[in-house]
Amino acid sequence: MLSFRPHTRMSEPGRRERVDVADLAAAIERLAADLALAEEPSGFTVVLESDPDMREQRD
Amino acid sequence: MTDWTITTLGGAIAGRQVSPVEVTRECLERIARLDAKIRSFITVDAEGALATARELEAELAAGLSRGPFHGVPLAYKDLCHVRGLPTSCGTATPEYFSAEHECTAVNRLREAGAVTLGKLNMTELALGPFGDNAHHGDVQNPWCPGHVAGGSSSGSAAAVAAGFALGALGSDTGGSIRLPAACCGVVGLKPTYGRVSRAGVMPLSWSLDHLGPLTRTVADAALLLGIIAGHDPRDATSSRRGVPYYERLLDTPVEGLRVGLPANYFFDGLDAAVDAAVRAAARILEGLGAEIVSVRVPDPRPVVDVSNVIARAESAAVHARIARERPHELQPAVRARLEVGFHLTAHDYLQALRLRTRYARAFVAEVFAEVDALLAPVIPEPAPALDAVKAGTVDEVVMRMGRFSRLTRPFNGLGLPALSVPCGFSEDGRPLALQVVGRPFDEATVLRLGHAYERATDWITRRPALA
């Protein structure tokens, strides 16, 4: 039979933690409203690795 | 010791003007005499350092040199695993942080001939920008005792500023290299995400953690980066891009570079001395031929929100064991910041990771189509008093932490290279700093601008007056 460890939270959240969590969750909900389906986390390293140097284009 | 840099000391050792043993002894003597007040070290490995120095001296006598780091004493933040030494991650529980492998960056420096002096103090679990530590002592700012050294790589910056080590490694998840570098008047570089392997470094938030150098000069940071940068099979996020000889590119004139001063966010609500020093630095670069332009950057606040979600969720996952088993040993503000991560949802975390990609793409495309680099302040005010940052409720302390790191945090979320360079002092002698930010993997331009500024001024010739 499988057994699972009890949850790993330190304690039930206090007032300040609840406010912080709610603020952060609200920010994500607002910001993510128009995320396109194809946007996914691995795109981040692609952005960094594929940045074209714009200096020549600007010149 | 206080007059050497890695560049000059490496040259003097290669020229047999000074010996690795002599230099290592001098560092150890200085640490023994002065660090009881500064509290920059957690572990000093005098025996190991002298043994290494003797081996390196024997190599030199046999005509062998490993290069510019041969015999140069360095020290490492106490979240880098170093063979034979404990890792506390700034806590009272070093037994939680053992590792099979040595930190890749430390290992590369060891192979390059560096002498390991020991492990450096830091904010507990790297969670905080001030460098206070209830277990190992609050790191004191060498320029102004009683004031913060900045964090979380507090010991790294203080040890370099105090002349205990020629250079150090620190880690930066929201500003933890740049903030202490700025507070202590030394150079600190957060490289591009993926430029330097984090293998063998205790993580805080793997999506935002960066490892980088703290040194006395920009040239030393360039040299050190050249050793630690590059792909590492033990860190899947490390880039396969080639590593330039950064030090050889430093003297390329900055003439013609377009450098942006942000018109929004970065100069809002600054201390007047910080504002004036950064704008004066821009004028100096202009005098050297750079074109300074005002730019409106994409609002960094969303990327800060997104980074906060990622940092909280990942740090709670990394440190679940200590939080569960020994929460009473964690400082209240550290515990409070960890606690939030346990209550965020997987949905919020994953959306934050997706959003980060979007903001990075937009920022890079918009900003670097206009300019080659950005100039900004690092700290919103000179190093505050330790008593002041620790006063009040946990809520107040945590709020203060967020405000102090508001100028560095965006570039962790964006993954861009960012350099902190000393740019003056407040009227009462606290260091001020300039932040140079570049396009991804363009550390060369960031270092070049920092080096040009540094050479046009005399800030780095000043030393804190230690008893």
Side-chain angles (χ1 to χ4, degrees):
Chain A
M1 182 180 156
L2 286 173
S3 65
F4 295 92
R5 293 164 68 100
H7 71 84
T8 58
R9 289 180 183 177
M10 293 157 73
S11 61
E12 286 307 306
R15 187 196 60 79
R16 192 194 59 77
E17 284 82 15
R18 282 200 303 273
V19 171
D20 282 357
V21 170
D23 287 351
L24 290 170
I28 294 299
E29 187 178 351
R30 187 179 69 251
L31 297 170
D34 62 343
L35 267 173
L37 288 176
E39 292 186 90
E40 52 110 350
S42 69
F44 177 66
T45 46
V46 175
V47 169
L48 296 183
E49 292 281 359
S50 62
D51 168 44
D53 190 328
M54 305 297 284
R55 273 172 279 204
E56 286 180 16
Q57 291 182 34
R58 201 177 57 232
D59 295 342
Chain B
M1 274 319 302
T2 56
D3 289 334
W4 291 113
T5 65
I6 293 171
T7 310
T8 58
L9 180 63
I13 288 174
R16 309 298 301 272
Q17 295 159 270
V18 285
S19 82
V21 172
E22 192 181 349
V23 171
T24 301
R25 276 213 180 100
E26 204 174 325
C27 284
L28 292 169
E29 182 278 326
R30 196 168 164 81
I31 294 165
R33 186 161 51 87
L34 298 170
D35 199 42
K37 286 182 189 162
I38 304 291
R39 311 297 289 262
S40 64
F41 276 81
I42 290 177
T43 304
V44 178
D45 184 21
E47 201 177 309
L50 284 168
T52 304
R54 282 190 206 102
E55 285 170 22
L56 291 164
E57 195 158 308
E59 285 183 13
L60 280 176
L64 300 170
S65 172
R66 300 189 189 202
F69 282 87
H70 193 117
V72 173
L74 303 178
Y76 307 116
K77 185 175 183 179
D78 203 23
L79 49 54
C80 299
H81 295 297
V82 177
R83 202 167 58 218
L85 299 180
T87 297
S88 78
C89 214
T91 69
T93 54
E95 65 272 24
Y96 278 30
F97 303 103
S98 60
E100 262 179 59
H101 298 285
E102 182 165 74
C103 167
T104 296
V106 170
N107 193 260
R108 287 180 180 174
L109 289 163
R110 187 196 296 284
E111 293 300 313
V115 172
T116 300
L117 292 169
K119 308 284 294 291
L120 296 161
N121 204 348
M122 56 182 281
T123 310
E124 188 175 33
L125 299 179
L127 269 167
F130 296 124
D132 53 308
N133 188 305
H135 311 295
H136 303 285
D138 296 340
V139 179
Q140 300 287 325
N141 192 312
W143 292 92
C144 41
H147 290 73
V148 306
S152 64
S153 308
S154 44
S156 303
V160 173
F164 299 154
L166 274 291
L169 289 182
S171 66
D172 192 318
T173 308
S176 287
I177 289 172
R178 291 159 287 158
L179 296 168
C183 289
C184 291
V186 300
V187 172
L189 173 66
K190 181 199 84 64
T192 308
Y193 186 80
R195 181 70 293 182
V196 174
S197 165
R198 288 95 42 87
V201 178
M202 191 66 212
L204 174 62
S205 168
W206 53 83
S207 298
L208 301 168
D209 291 342
H210 301 68
L211 192 68
L214 292 100
T215 55
R216 288 189 196 149
T217 66
V218 175
D220 283 0
L223 263 184
L224 213 157
L225 179 66
I227 301 289
I228 64 176
H231 180 65
D232 174 15
R234 289 180 50 223
D235 180 352
T237 65
S238 64
S239 173
R240 291 183 180 275
R241 283 186 178 221
V243 179
Y245 288 101
Y246 296 109
E247 70 278 14
R248 295 183 192 170
L249 302 170
L250 288 174
D251 288 321
T252 310
V254 298
E255 194 172 353
L257 285 179
R258 274 171 69 90
V259 179
L261 269 183
N264 55 317
Y265 187 81
F266 288 96
F267 288 85
D268 297 346
L270 284 187
D271 172 271
V274 173
D275 188 298
V278 174
R279 292 185 193 281
R283 286 194 294 277
I284 285 175
L285 285 169
E286 194 169 34
L288 295 171
E291 185 184 352
I292 306 293
V293 294
S294 176
V295 286
R296 192 157 189 89
V297 299
D299 185 1
R301 284 173 296 190
V303 84
V304 170
D305 284 339
V306 160
S307 301
N308 284 341
V309 171
I310 295 169
R312 296 286 188 278
E314 292 182 355
S315 59
V318 169
H319 294 303
R321 184 181 165 205
I322 193 169
R324 182 178 67 240
E325 295 179 354
R326 299 166 92 152
H328 54 284
E329 289 188 7
L330 298 173
Q331 291 172 238
V334 171
R335 200 167 60 226
R337 293 182 92 191
L338 271 187
E339 175 74 17
V340 172
F342 289 107
H343 304 288
L344 288 166
T345 66
H347 172 82
D348 291 337
Y349 171 63
L350 291 168
Q351 294 295 60
L353 287 175
R354 296 175 71 206
L355 283 161
R356 177 201 201 189
T357 300
R358 165 190 283 196
Y359 295 132
R361 184 180 294 119
F363 196 96
V364 168
E366 287 181 36
V367 172
F368 296 112
E370 294 297 320
V371 296
D372 299 304
L374 288 175
L375 293 188
V378 184
I379 42 178
E381 58 177 316
L386 271 161
D387 287 347
V389 300
K390 294 195 292 182
T393 64
V394 170
D395 289 11
E396 288 167 337
V397 172
V398 171
M399 289 270 287
R400 225 172 264 140
M401 289 176 169
R403 281 200 298 270
F404 198 64
S405 59
R406 60 182 282 276
L407 306 173
T408 50
R409 192 168 287 276
F411 302 115
N412 293 75
L414 297 168
L416 301 174
L419 176 74
S420 176
V421 187
C423 72
F425 292 86
S426 63
E427 274 187 14
D428 59 358
R430 289 175 287 164
L432 306 172
L434 168 73
Q435 188 169 207
V436 188
V437 181
R439 55 167 46 87
F441 294 98
D442 195 10
E443 281 81 2
T445 297
V446 166
L447 290 162
R448 192 172 134 204
L449 281 160
H451 180 67
Y453 171 75
E454 187 181 81
R455 293 190 67 165
T457 58
D458 69 351
W459 306 121
I460 62 158
T461 62
R462 304 193 190 185
R463 299 281 180 263
L466 298 175

